[in-house]
Amino acid sequence: MAAADSSSSIVDFFGGEAGYRCGYCKNVTGNFSHGMWAHSMTVQDYQDLLDRGWRRSGKYVYKPIMNQTCCPQYTIRCRPLHFQPSKSHKKVLKKMLKFLAKGDSSKVAGDVTEEPMDSHGEDAVACSFVLKNASDISQSELKPLSVEETERVETEDNDEEEEMKKEVIVKKVASEPPQICADKDSAGSSERSDSAKLVHTTPKPGKGADLSKPPCRKAKDVRKERKLHKLLQNQTHTLEGSPSQAEPQVLLSQNSKANQPKSIEDFIFVSLPDDATHQLEVRLVPVSFEDPQFKSSFSQSAALFAKYQMAIHKDTPSECGEYEFTRFLCDSPLEAENPPSGPDCGYGSFHQQYWLDGKIIAVGVIDVLPYCISSVYLYYDPDYNFLSLGVYSALREIAFIRQLREKTSELCYYYMGFYIHSCPKMRYKGQYRPSDLLCPETYVWVPIEQCLPTLEHSKYCRFNQDLKAVDEGGIKELGRVRVLHKRIVMPYSMYKKRRKGPSDEANVQQYASLVGQTCSERMLLFRN
């Protein structure tokens, strides 16, 4: 036996709760979860809990009962080291650059507005410890992720010439200009479209297309072929006039470098012109009232939170005051740690503040953990909704992980909260690829592409296809569970002998099976 160590996690487990209102499908009693109050928690314990499907809201840590809850919530993580921004992501980054440089706030056609990586209060159990009920769905124009749709890395709209440099096989270019004709479905129609008028000879009625002419092709393919032909000609002239044999290799090397798709860093860290209209600064502030930056910006940050909650989630002023803000987004059970091998900022909870011209316009609440950054919540100024700050902040957090990994190689994942396939508006997190979903039974990570077809048929799924696989981290020895009783730490086997009154073994067994053997032997389960 020993006295309680201040560096140990101390939790109070509540077991399975009765059904409560779901913020996604609005079922009055359909949401079920397990919960525990974390008086304190180490970053390693919370990392391991995340990898078993847990998540925090303030100091309340909860785990959906996946096979009972109306809208199963699957833990999702992105792999930032292999992440490439999609076309829509690049649009958001370009829009921010344009706004900063020129002050242009016009909305580009086809833009997607943000879906913040947040964990709203409604995710947690509606008990006395939970701050409030708030919708987890932001205003969204995002196209729901389709099962048939597989995201690919898209180059920019004006990169056709760069794509031509990637061609290895040179196609023979026709000496005469390619012909553009109407859609193939209307080739046999007696009525010709405007594009069909470009064909020199009209096919005879009933004969179909004129076989003496080359088959028609898409205009885009024609443009690509012309650019490729021109590029090859230019390279040939360059090489013919060069006496050195090394120059072709240099040329190919330069082309290869130019062909690399732009990363998010290429957009985020680009230098703005000297006469830029706006200045954006991102500050990482520890969540601690002992930190000068956090303390000095608290009032402004709390006011922004209230403005966001009232405008986006329709909260009343009494539901989003400074007290509610503090309990929800400032109170964290995580103990700050600064090991020599860790990131320069250390581990713990942080507010990533976005300052525009000296004013906070957005705050991303994040937890920096041993293997990941976990996105907790985002709130922003609704007046800047046109900047898609939810998407922008998510991309900034991905870039931040890459930056931290330069010193801390194990920190290489971006945990985005829960993926809820049964709620179309919550599928946006699956658009950050490559990403994985956590199997709710064996707690192994499975690529999301393998999970989506199964989720289309059943809202609750076991993603691990090995039917013989079990939870390797499950409880094996209940007696080794660490208990805190009357300020004394002891194994459950000893506490069980000392306990007076009815047995609590079923409750402890449930707790240990949910947190796993490793955490149950490290964390302290509070017992009266």
Side-chain angles (χ1 to χ4, degrees), residues 228-414:
L228 176 61
H229 182 60
K230 184 176 181 180
L231 180 63
L232 291 174
Q233 285 183 333
N234 292 339
Q235 290 183 358
T236 302
H237 294 156
T238 302
L239 295 176
E240 286 177 352
S242 173
S244 172
Q245 296 295 324
E247 288 189 5
Q249 296 179 1
V250 174
L251 180 61
L252 291 175
S253 176
Q254 291 175 346
N255 288 341
S256 177
K257 185 176 180 180
N259 286 336
Q260 294 295 325
K262 283 190 175 182
S263 67
I264 48 179
E265 289 83 359
D266 293 330
F267 293 97
I268 292 174
F269 302 117
V270 65
S271 299
L272 293 173
D274 295 335
D275 60 347
T277 306
H278 300 289
Q279 294 294 326
L280 179 68
E281 180 186 2
V282 181
R283 301 178 188 173
L284 186 70
V285 181
V287 179
S288 170
F289 285 98
E290 296 179 0
D291 183 84
Q293 280 190 305
F294 181 82
K295 190 174 181 179
S296 64
S297 61
F298 175 81
S299 296
Q300 186 180 167
S301 187
L304 177 62
F305 169 76
K307 182 178 181 180
Y308 170 81
Q309 292 296 127
M310 289 188 288
I312 303 300
H313 299 296
K314 312 305 178 186
D315 282 4
T316 62
S318 62
E319 293 175 317
C320 52
E322 286 193 358
Y323 174 75
E324 289 76 18
F325 170 66
T326 301
R327 287 197 65 189
F328 183 32
L329 297 177
C330 300
D331 286 348
S332 170
L334 301 185
E335 301 289 339
E337 298 179 23
N338 291 277
S341 60
D344 292 336
C345 63
Y347 298 116
S349 298
F350 297 85
H351 282 190
Q352 199 163 42
Q353 301 173 340
Y354 294 78
W355 290 76
L356 182 69
D357 302 332
K359 181 181 74 170
I360 301 177
I361 63 167
V363 177
V365 183
I366 61 174
D367 293 331
V368 180
L369 304 173
Y371 308 132
C372 75
I373 280 182
S374 174
S375 180
V376 179
Y377 199 79
L378 174 87
Y379 55 98
Y380 58 88
D381 191 333
D383 295 341
Y384 295 90
N385 191 54
F386 62 90
L387 289 175
S388 303
L389 291 171
V391 174
Y392 182 77
S393 66
L395 297 174
R396 290 289 303 230
E397 287 167 10
I398 289 174
F400 184 43
I401 292 170
R402 291 175 168 177
Q403 181 182 351
L404 294 182
R405 191 181 179 274
E406 293 178 3
K407 180 180 178 182
T408 311
S409 60
E410 291 184 337
L411 205 163
C412 55
Y413 293 108
Y414 181 45

Side-chain angles (χ1 to χ4, degrees), residues 15-281:
E17 300 292 333
Y20 61 97
R21 184 178 181 273
C22 175
Y24 308 112
C25 68
K26 308 306 178 185
N27 188 314
V28 179
T29 58
N31 206 339
F32 293 86
S33 70
H34 300 285
M36 56 187 179
W37 185 259
H39 299 277
S40 64
M41 184 166 287
T42 66
V43 291
Q44 185 61 61
D45 284 338
Y46 187 53
Q47 173 73 69
D48 291 343
L49 288 176
L50 284 177
D51 290 332
R52 293 185 65 84
W54 292 82
R55 186 160 173 78
R56 78 174 183 90
S57 176
K59 289 191 173 185
Y60 187 77
V61 188
Y62 62 99
K63 184 183 190 304
I65 304 177
M66 299 292 283
N67 58 353
Q68 294 183 30
T69 191
C70 52
C71 297
Q73 302 159 54
Y74 299 92
T75 303
I76 182 172
R77 73 177 186 185
C78 173
R79 284 173 264 153
L81 305 185
H82 301 95
F83 174 81
Q84 284 290 345
S86 67
K87 188 174 182 179
S88 62
H89 294 151
K90 289 179 181 179
K91 281 185 177 180
V92 171
L93 295 171
K94 289 178 181 178
K95 182 167 53 178
M96 175 62 81
L97 286 176
K98 191 173 182 181
F99 171 73
L100 295 176
K102 302 180 180 179
D104 188 353
S105 61
S106 60
K107 185 173 181 178
V108 181
D111 271 356
V112 286
T113 56
E114 68 285 338
E115 284 286 7
M117 295 298 174
D118 50 18
S119 170
H120 293 259
E122 201 160 66
D123 285 344
V125 177
C127 68
S128 60
F129 297 113
V130 178
L131 172 65
K132 59 184 181 59
N133 287 326
S135 171
D136 195 30
I137 306 172
S138 304
Q139 293 179 339
S140 169
E141 297 175 9
L142 273 179
K143 178 181 177 183
L145 185 66
S146 170
V147 177
E148 293 83 7
E149 175 181 313
T150 55
E151 188 176 61
R152 60 184 176 82
V153 178
E154 301 180 65
T155 53
E156 296 189 71
D157 298 336
N158 61 349
D159 279 351
E160 287 184 0
E161 184 170 348
E162 298 294 344
E163 292 177 4
M164 295 305 101
K165 298 177 182 179
K166 297 180 181 179
E167 296 285 350
V168 178
I169 301 176
V170 181
K171 299 180 180 179
K172 182 179 179 181
V173 182
S175 57
E176 59 182 85
Q179 299 170 353
I180 304 175
C181 68
D183 224 6
K184 62 180 179 180
D185 293 335
S186 59
S189 173
S190 58
E191 296 181 8
R192 294 178 296 160
S193 64
D194 292 338
S195 59
K197 294 177 183 178
L198 295 176
V199 179
H200 299 296
T201 305
T202 305
K204 296 179 180 180
K207 297 292 185 181
D210 188 351
L211 299 179
S212 65
K213 299 295 182 182
C216 62
R217 293 174 296 164
K218 291 183 179 180
K220 184 178 180 180
D221 293 335
V222 173
R223 292 197 303 271
K224 283 186 175 182
E225 189 172 271
R226 286 174 178 168
K227 287 183 178 181
L228 176 61
H229 182 60
K230 184 176 181 180
L231 180 63
L232 291 174
Q233 285 183 333
N234 292 339
Q235 290 183 358
T236 302
H237 294 156
T238 302
L239 295 176
E240 286 177 352
S242 173
S244 172
Q245 296 295 324
E247 288 189 5
Q249 296 179 1
V250 174
L251 180 61
L252 291 175
S253 176
Q254 291 175 346
N255 288 341
S256 177
K257 185 176 180 180
N259 286 336
Q260 294 295 325
K262 283 190 175 182
S263 67
I264 48 179
E265 289 83 359
D266 293 330
F267 293 97
I268 292 174
F269 302 117
V270 65
S271 299
L272 293 173
D274 295 335
D275 60 347
T277 306
H278 300 289
Q279 294 294 326
L280 179 68
E281 180 186 2

Side-chain angles (χ1 to χ4, degrees), residues 433-446:
R433 303 284 185 91
S435 57
D436 310 300
L437 297 183
L438 186 68
C439 177
E441 295 182 10
T442 60
Y443 303 112
V444 297
W445 294 98
V446 181

Side-chain angles (χ1 to χ4, degrees), residues 13 478 483 485 492 495-497 499-511 525-528:
F13 180 68
L478 187 63
V483 170
H485 178 59
Y492 178 69
Y495 165 77
K496 183 179 178 181
K497 295 176 182 179
R499 176 180 171 82
K500 297 179 181 179
S503 172
D504 64 349
E505 185 170 339
N507 181 266
V508 175
Q509 176 73 45
Q510 185 183 52
Y511 156 80
L525 176 62
F526 179 77
R527 298 279 89 177
N528 290 326

